[in-house]
Amino acid sequence: MSDKAKVIQKDLKKFSVTPNLSDYDKTYKDFTWENVEKEEIEFFEDGTLNIAYNCIDRHVKTDKKDKKALLFEGANGEKEQYTFSDLKALTDKFANVLVSQSVKKGDRVFIFLPSIPERYVVFFGILKMGAVAGTMFSAFQEMALVDRLSDSGAKVVITNAALYPRIKKIWKDLPGLEKVIIIERGSEEQPVGEKIVYYKDEMDKAKSDFEISHMEKDDYSYMLYTSGTTGKPKGVMHAHYDILQAIVTTKYVLDVQVNDIYWCTADIGWVTGVVYATLGPWGLGVTQVMSEGRFSPESWYKLIQDYKVTLWYTAPTAIRMLMGSSVDPRDFDLSSLRQIYSVGEPLNPEAIWWGLDAYGLPFHDTWWQTELGGISITNYPALDIRPGSMGKPLPGIKAAIIDDEGKELGDGKEGNLALLASTISSLMKTIWRNEKKFNSYFIEKWYISGDKAMRDKDGYYWFIGRADDVIKTSGERVGPFEVESSLVEHPSVIEAGVIGKPDEVRGEIIKAFVVTKPGIEQTEELKEELKVYVKKHLAGHAYPREIDFIDKLPKTRSGKIMRRVLKAKELGLPVGDTSTLEDY
Ligand code: PRX
């Protein structure tokens, strides 16, 4: 196939709706953050702002006030709808609830809930009163929870009866945790305790108007823990001004327009859920769908069909699962779909070609990171797609491929994917109480992503791989150190080395190499036990799907596990430079 044939060409004349960004080159050239700031976000008279005002309150002053903001479908098919006015009242009430519980500006309040509307209500309630919202996956178990809640010094956690026992178990290790708010939905029996507060009781008492906090651009809004190669997860701090890049990308990339029905499948425990299931879509006042149910091809297609979803933002693992399923999308009416998108891990060209065939639409791959706070390199509805490429930088952002010294490399050269830090509007403000880690992201003016990539002669960026040992499994970022730490807590284990192993559906799976204590029988049962152990203590999604027993781990002379050696051996690749390796 010639290169040209490999390109998916766009013909704007054939579009039923003209995209918000119809000329990439021109927009890129003319773009300034100052100009879009004037058009897209509202400040208070004193020059401060609040994300919640931009996403909810301001719409209530317009004809969007009775517009549906959220269409929710519960796990048992129950349906609920919320208008922007409903959300204004609920989030005002919840902000009042927090104030009544002595939460102050800057305090950290964490959300540990399943995918239910209260997640969004409490998220915006927290932002309204100026506290910092921390979000967590409902799959987290005690180790993952204690790391996050103790490092952040969380004052309040909002959870439900089903998840509360995990908090209860670790509360003794969290001296800063003053209150737990329980959302009653979904359970008859509620936990009891002196420091437990019930959501409904408090909401019933609370006033439905609140004087929203005026926040400086750089004041913290939300924080998210994310994994690197070493150490415990780090708290990435985002600001209220992040709303600008969230809105601009939702408009220019996801192409949200006034009558769209938008569905981002991501969980709010993940940055995509925070930015593209709350900030971006509601910043533009669009109607969005939320589903509590688990993934299945039937239920997802039915949701698109029933709600007439027009814009769909999902992830490669889900796409590959849909691709591998026997459920035929053509058995559903998916004709409402106008544009479709993907994020989180490399989207293989086959998945794009399949999408084109199955839905009549190409998936647009988008690239960014928790630290960046918004889409940064991406494909656009109006721009030709080169399947396998992440696309081109967002207008406003300058990207480059640089070497380890910060020198820009030319087209076609593999190197570090870097962004000019001053051009990323929603770049994290810092790493919570870890300035050193924050500084390590930069080489002079460049923000270093940790990804290796290449730019072709036409300016398209191509992802090559991670420069470090971070694992991406089903789009979720997992630090090998966290999994290793969990494994070594098992009484049969001395030490463990963990890597990401390529997998056709999940991108990577977690593979562990385990050294057992003398006398321990290395059985298949023990492998199973270790998998369950990690699932139960760390997180449901972060367990090793494969385990090998090994006599000794490859280490540097200073004792650091050389995971790349494990990986090379596993994949039958050359081991590379082993000069720092101790005898192995
Ligand atoms: O390695 C890249 C991969 O995911 C990393 C960021 O992970 P996280 O902070 O969890 O954010 C994910 C969602 C924003 C990146 O460093 N990644 C993300 N998107 C892509 C990707 N790799 C290849 N192609 C992508 N489109």
PDB file of all heavy atoms in Angstrom, residues 546-568:
ATOM      1  N   GLU A 546       0.310 -12.420  34.850  1.00  0.00           N
ATOM      2  CA  GLU A 546       1.269 -13.529  34.694  1.00  0.00           C
ATOM      3  C   GLU A 546       2.313 -13.434  35.788  1.00  0.00           C
ATOM      4  O   GLU A 546       2.779 -12.333  36.114  1.00  0.00           O
ATOM      5  CB  GLU A 546       1.989 -13.426  33.342  1.00  0.00           C
ATOM      6  CG  GLU A 546       1.224 -14.042  32.207  1.00  0.00           C
ATOM      7  CD  GLU A 546       2.027 -14.043  30.910  1.00  0.00           C
ATOM      8  OE1 GLU A 546       3.285 -14.067  30.941  1.00  0.00           O
ATOM      9  OE2 GLU A 546       1.378 -13.994  29.851  1.00  0.00           O
ATOM     10  N   ILE A 547       2.697 -14.598  36.317  1.00  0.00           N
ATOM     11  CA  ILE A 547       3.756 -14.629  37.331  1.00  0.00           C
ATOM     12  C   ILE A 547       4.738 -15.738  36.972  1.00  0.00           C
ATOM     13  O   ILE A 547       4.324 -16.842  36.604  1.00  0.00           O
ATOM     14  CB  ILE A 547       3.160 -14.894  38.736  1.00  0.00           C
ATOM     15  CG1 ILE A 547       2.233 -13.731  39.148  1.00  0.00           C
ATOM     16  CG2 ILE A 547       4.265 -15.091  39.780  1.00  0.00           C
ATOM     17  CD1 ILE A 547       1.622 -13.847  40.523  1.00  0.00           C
ATOM     18  N   ASP A 548       6.025 -15.416  37.064  1.00  0.00           N
ATOM     19  CA  ASP A 548       7.070 -16.448  36.943  1.00  0.00           C
ATOM     20  C   ASP A 548       7.864 -16.454  38.237  1.00  0.00           C
ATOM     21  O   ASP A 548       8.139 -15.383  38.799  1.00  0.00           O
ATOM     22  CB  ASP A 548       8.052 -16.114  35.807  1.00  0.00           C
ATOM     23  CG  ASP A 548       7.527 -16.566  34.452  1.00  0.00           C
ATOM     24  OD1 ASP A 548       6.407 -17.119  34.400  1.00  0.00           O
ATOM     25  OD2 ASP A 548       8.250 -16.334  33.448  1.00  0.00           O
ATOM     26  N   PHE A 549       8.239 -17.647  38.692  1.00  0.00           N
ATOM     27  CA  PHE A 549       9.162 -17.698  39.830  1.00  0.00           C
ATOM     28  C   PHE A 549      10.571 -17.605  39.269  1.00  0.00           C
ATOM     29  O   PHE A 549      10.862 -18.114  38.177  1.00  0.00           O
ATOM     30  CB  PHE A 549       8.967 -18.996  40.616  1.00  0.00           C
ATOM     31  CG  PHE A 549       7.616 -19.054  41.295  1.00  0.00           C
ATOM     32  CD1 PHE A 549       6.675 -20.032  40.956  1.00  0.00           C
ATOM     33  CD2 PHE A 549       7.286 -18.110  42.269  1.00  0.00           C
ATOM     34  CE1 PHE A 549       5.440 -20.070  41.579  1.00  0.00           C
ATOM     35  CE2 PHE A 549       6.038 -18.145  42.905  1.00  0.00           C
ATOM     36  CZ  PHE A 549       5.114 -19.133  42.555  1.00  0.00           C
ATOM     37  N   ILE A 550      11.445 -16.973  40.004  1.00  0.00           N
ATOM     38  CA  ILE A 550      12.803 -16.730  39.531  1.00  0.00           C
ATOM     39  C   ILE A 550      13.731 -16.852  40.756  1.00  0.00           C
ATOM     40  O   ILE A 550      13.307 -16.583  41.879  1.00  0.00           O
ATOM     41  CB  ILE A 550      12.849 -15.318  38.863  1.00  0.00           C
ATOM     42  CG1 ILE A 550      14.138 -15.005  38.161  1.00  0.00           C
ATOM     43  CG2 ILE A 550      12.531 -14.221  39.834  1.00  0.00           C
ATOM     44  CD1 ILE A 550      14.050 -13.722  37.310  1.00  0.00           C
ATOM     45  N   ASP A 551      14.987 -17.263  40.528  1.00  0.00           N
ATOM     46  CA  ASP A 551      15.881 -17.452  41.682  1.00  0.00           C
ATOM     47  C   ASP A 551      16.420 -16.136  42.218  1.00  0.00           C
ATOM     48  O   ASP A 551      16.643 -15.967  43.409  1.00  0.00           O
ATOM     49  CB  ASP A 551      17.088 -18.321  41.277  1.00  0.00           C
ATOM     50  CG  ASP A 551      16.613 -19.728  40.938  1.00  0.00           C
ATOM     51  OD1 ASP A 551      15.522 -20.092  41.433  1.00  0.00           O
ATOM     52  OD2 ASP A 551      17.305 -20.430  40.173  1.00  0.00           O
ATOM     53  N   LYS A 552      16.667 -15.221  41.282  1.00  0.00           N
ATOM     54  CA  LYS A 552      17.341 -13.984  41.662  1.00  0.00           C
ATOM     55  C   LYS A 552      16.926 -12.892  40.685  1.00  0.00           C
ATOM     56  O   LYS A 552      16.782 -13.162  39.485  1.00  0.00           O
ATOM     57  CB  LYS A 552      18.850 -14.244  41.535  1.00  0.00           C
ATOM     58  CG  LYS A 552      19.700 -13.242  42.207  1.00  0.00           C
ATOM     59  CD  LYS A 552      21.158 -13.683  42.152  1.00  0.00           C
ATOM     60  CE  LYS A 552      21.990 -12.551  42.686  1.00  0.00           C
ATOM     61  NZ  LYS A 552      23.314 -12.526  42.167  1.00  0.00           N
ATOM     62  N   LEU A 553      16.756 -11.675  41.158  1.00  0.00           N
ATOM     63  CA  LEU A 553      16.389 -10.587  40.246  1.00  0.00           C
ATOM     64  C   LEU A 553      17.635  -9.882  39.725  1.00  0.00           C
ATOM     65  O   LEU A 553      18.599  -9.702  40.475  1.00  0.00           O
ATOM     66  CB  LEU A 553      15.532  -9.548  40.978  1.00  0.00           C
ATOM     67  CG  LEU A 553      14.115  -9.964  41.372  1.00  0.00           C
ATOM     68  CD1 LEU A 553      13.470  -8.866  42.215  1.00  0.00           C
ATOM     69  CD2 LEU A 553      13.258 -10.236  40.137  1.00  0.00           C
ATOM     70  N   PRO A 554      17.627  -9.450  38.449  1.00  0.00           N
ATOM     71  CA  PRO A 554      18.763  -8.660  37.961  1.00  0.00           C
ATOM     72  C   PRO A 554      18.756  -7.296  38.641  1.00  0.00           C
ATOM     73  O   PRO A 554      17.734  -6.611  38.665  1.00  0.00           O
ATOM     74  CB  PRO A 554      18.480  -8.521  36.459  1.00  0.00           C
ATOM     75  CG  PRO A 554      17.006  -8.719  36.313  1.00  0.00           C
ATOM     76  CD  PRO A 554      16.573  -9.602  37.443  1.00  0.00           C
ATOM     77  N   LYS A 555      19.888  -6.911  39.219  1.00  0.00           N
ATOM     78  CA  LYS A 555      19.939  -5.629  39.948  1.00  0.00           C
ATOM     79  C   LYS A 555      21.209  -4.879  39.602  1.00  0.00           C
ATOM     80  O   LYS A 555      22.211  -5.482  39.253  1.00  0.00           O
ATOM     81  CB  LYS A 555      19.961  -5.901  41.444  1.00  0.00           C
ATOM     82  CG  LYS A 555      18.628  -6.353  41.971  1.00  0.00           C
ATOM     83  CD  LYS A 555      18.633  -6.270  43.466  1.00  0.00           C
ATOM     84  CE  LYS A 555      17.368  -6.847  44.008  1.00  0.00           C
ATOM     85  NZ  LYS A 555      17.543  -7.297  45.368  1.00  0.00           N
ATOM     86  N   THR A 556      21.160  -3.565  39.774  1.00  0.00           N
ATOM     87  CA  THR A 556      22.392  -2.790  39.654  1.00  0.00           C
ATOM     88  C   THR A 556      23.204  -3.042  40.918  1.00  0.00           C
ATOM     89  O   THR A 556      22.671  -3.531  41.915  1.00  0.00           O
ATOM     90  CB  THR A 556      22.105  -1.273  39.577  1.00  0.00           C
ATOM     91  OG1 THR A 556      21.429  -0.903  40.770  1.00  0.00           O
ATOM     92  CG2 THR A 556      21.254  -0.920  38.390  1.00  0.00           C
ATOM     93  N   ARG A 557      24.477  -2.621  40.883  1.00  0.00           N
ATOM     94  CA  ARG A 557      25.292  -2.858  42.083  1.00  0.00           C
ATOM     95  C   ARG A 557      24.763  -2.083  43.272  1.00  0.00           C
ATOM     96  O   ARG A 557      24.985  -2.453  44.412  1.00  0.00           O
ATOM     97  CB  ARG A 557      26.757  -2.515  41.796  1.00  0.00           C
ATOM     98  CG  ARG A 557      27.365  -3.580  40.903  1.00  0.00           C
ATOM     99  CD  ARG A 557      28.846  -3.407  40.689  1.00  0.00           C
ATOM    100  NE  ARG A 557      29.183  -4.193  39.511  1.00  0.00           N
ATOM    101  CZ  ARG A 557      29.348  -3.680  38.308  1.00  0.00           C
ATOM    102  NH1 ARG A 557      29.250  -2.378  38.118  1.00  0.00           N
ATOM    103  NH2 ARG A 557      29.624  -4.460  37.278  1.00  0.00           N
ATOM    104  N   SER A 558      24.001  -1.019  42.995  1.00  0.00           N
ATOM    105  CA  SER A 558      23.438  -0.277  44.135  1.00  0.00           C
ATOM    106  C   SER A 558      22.099  -0.879  44.574  1.00  0.00           C
ATOM    107  O   SER A 558      21.426  -0.339  45.453  1.00  0.00           O
ATOM    108  CB  SER A 558      23.276   1.190  43.769  1.00  0.00           C
ATOM    109  OG  SER A 558      22.445   1.300  42.636  1.00  0.00           O
ATOM    110  N   GLY A 559      21.706  -1.982  43.942  1.00  0.00           N
ATOM    111  CA  GLY A 559      20.527  -2.701  44.440  1.00  0.00           C
ATOM    112  C   GLY A 559      19.213  -2.380  43.752  1.00  0.00           C
ATOM    113  O   GLY A 559      18.156  -2.831  44.167  1.00  0.00           O
ATOM    114  N   LYS A 560      19.250  -1.568  42.667  1.00  0.00           N
ATOM    115  CA  LYS A 560      18.002  -1.239  41.956  1.00  0.00           C
ATOM    116  C   LYS A 560      17.622  -2.363  40.992  1.00  0.00           C
ATOM    117  O   LYS A 560      18.489  -2.860  40.256  1.00  0.00           O
ATOM    118  CB  LYS A 560      18.228   0.044  41.148  1.00  0.00           C
ATOM    119  CG  LYS A 560      17.247   1.132  41.484  1.00  0.00           C
ATOM    120  CD  LYS A 560      17.573   2.412  40.764  1.00  0.00           C
ATOM    121  CE  LYS A 560      17.116   2.340  39.324  1.00  0.00           C
ATOM    122  NZ  LYS A 560      17.521   3.422  38.478  1.00  0.00           N
ATOM    123  N   ILE A 561      16.359  -2.771  41.016  1.00  0.00           N
ATOM    124  CA  ILE A 561      15.934  -3.827  40.098  1.00  0.00           C
ATOM    125  C   ILE A 561      16.038  -3.320  38.653  1.00  0.00           C
ATOM    126  O   ILE A 561      15.538  -2.233  38.345  1.00  0.00           O
ATOM    127  CB  ILE A 561      14.479  -4.254  40.375  1.00  0.00           C
ATOM    128  CG1 ILE A 561      14.355  -4.795  41.795  1.00  0.00           C
ATOM    129  CG2 ILE A 561      13.985  -5.278  39.355  1.00  0.00           C
ATOM    130  CD1 ILE A 561      12.931  -5.043  42.247  1.00  0.00           C
ATOM    131  N   MET A 562      16.684  -4.105  37.780  1.00  0.00           N
ATOM    132  CA  MET A 562      16.788  -3.694  36.371  1.00  0.00           C
ATOM    133  C   MET A 562      15.648  -4.340  35.593  1.00  0.00           C
ATOM    134  O   MET A 562      15.771  -5.442  35.056  1.00  0.00           O
ATOM    135  CB  MET A 562      18.150  -4.071  35.804  1.00  0.00           C
ATOM    136  CG  MET A 562      19.243  -3.196  36.421  1.00  0.00           C
ATOM    137  SD  MET A 562      20.824  -3.427  35.623  1.00  0.00           S
ATOM    138  CE  MET A 562      20.697  -2.337  34.214  1.00  0.00           C
ATOM    139  N   ARG A 563      14.538  -3.618  35.565  1.00  0.00           N
ATOM    140  CA  ARG A 563      13.347  -4.195  34.942  1.00  0.00           C
ATOM    141  C   ARG A 563      13.516  -4.372  33.446  1.00  0.00           C
ATOM    142  O   ARG A 563      12.946  -5.262  32.846  1.00  0.00           O
ATOM    143  CB  ARG A 563      12.131  -3.315  35.239  1.00  0.00           C
ATOM    144  CG  ARG A 563      11.891  -3.148  36.733  1.00  0.00           C
ATOM    145  CD  ARG A 563      10.568  -2.471  36.993  1.00  0.00           C
ATOM    146  NE  ARG A 563      10.436  -2.140  38.395  1.00  0.00           N
ATOM    147  CZ  ARG A 563      10.731  -0.941  38.915  1.00  0.00           C
ATOM    148  NH1 ARG A 563      11.168   0.038  38.143  1.00  0.00           N
ATOM    149  NH2 ARG A 563      10.585  -0.723  40.200  1.00  0.00           N
ATOM    150  N   ARG A 564      14.344  -3.500  32.859  1.00  0.00           N
ATOM    151  CA  ARG A 564      14.515  -3.642  31.403  1.00  0.00           C
ATOM    152  C   ARG A 564      15.212  -4.952  31.056  1.00  0.00           C
ATOM    153  O   ARG A 564      15.016  -5.494  29.971  1.00  0.00           O
ATOM    154  CB  ARG A 564      15.206  -2.425  30.790  1.00  0.00           C
ATOM    155  CG  ARG A 564      16.630  -2.245  31.170  1.00  0.00           C
ATOM    156  CD  ARG A 564      17.280  -1.109  30.418  1.00  0.00           C
ATOM    157  NE  ARG A 564      18.599  -0.862  30.929  1.00  0.00           N
ATOM    158  CZ  ARG A 564      19.681  -1.568  30.597  1.00  0.00           C
ATOM    159  NH1 ARG A 564      19.571  -2.565  29.743  1.00  0.00           N
ATOM    160  NH2 ARG A 564      20.842  -1.288  31.122  1.00  0.00           N
ATOM    161  N   VAL A 565      16.006  -5.467  31.980  1.00  0.00           N
ATOM    162  CA  VAL A 565      16.647  -6.764  31.731  1.00  0.00           C
ATOM    163  C   VAL A 565      15.577  -7.869  31.781  1.00  0.00           C
ATOM    164  O   VAL A 565      15.537  -8.760  30.928  1.00  0.00           O
ATOM    165  CB  VAL A 565      17.776  -7.015  32.757  1.00  0.00           C
ATOM    166  CG1 VAL A 565      18.346  -8.416  32.607  1.00  0.00           C
ATOM    167  CG2 VAL A 565      18.878  -5.964  32.603  1.00  0.00           C
ATOM    168  N   LEU A 566      14.703  -7.779  32.755  1.00  0.00           N
ATOM    169  CA  LEU A 566      13.610  -8.767  32.842  1.00  0.00           C
ATOM    170  C   LEU A 566      12.766  -8.721  31.568  1.00  0.00           C
ATOM    171  O   LEU A 566      12.386  -9.745  31.009  1.00  0.00           O
ATOM    172  CB  LEU A 566      12.702  -8.451  34.041  1.00  0.00           C
ATOM    173  CG  LEU A 566      13.279  -8.694  35.436  1.00  0.00           C
ATOM    174  CD1 LEU A 566      12.352  -8.129  36.503  1.00  0.00           C
ATOM    175  CD2 LEU A 566      13.492 -10.197  35.671  1.00  0.00           C
ATOM    176  N   LYS A 567      12.505  -7.503  31.130  1.00  0.00           N
ATOM    177  CA  LYS A 567      11.650  -7.329  29.960  1.00  0.00           C
ATOM    178  C   LYS A 567      12.312  -7.880  28.704  1.00  0.00           C
ATOM    179  O   LYS A 567      11.694  -8.610  27.920  1.00  0.00           O
ATOM    180  CB  LYS A 567      11.308  -5.853  29.788  1.00  0.00           C
ATOM    181  CG  LYS A 567      10.198  -5.607  28.815  1.00  0.00           C
ATOM    182  CD  LYS A 567       9.583  -4.245  29.071  1.00  0.00           C
ATOM    183  CE  LYS A 567       8.471  -3.972  28.083  1.00  0.00           C
ATOM    184  NZ  LYS A 567       7.651  -2.842  28.494  1.00  0.00           N
ATOM    185  N   ALA A 568      13.588  -7.556  28.541  1.00  0.00           N
ATOM    186  CA  ALA A 568      14.311  -8.020  27.353  1.00  0.00           C
ATOM    187  C   ALA A 568      14.335  -9.551  27.333  1.00  0.00           C
ATOM    188  O   ALA A 568      14.104 -10.174  26.286  1.00  0.00           O
ATOM    189  CB  ALA A 568      15.722  -7.455  27.353  1.00  0.00           C
TER     190      ALA A 568
END
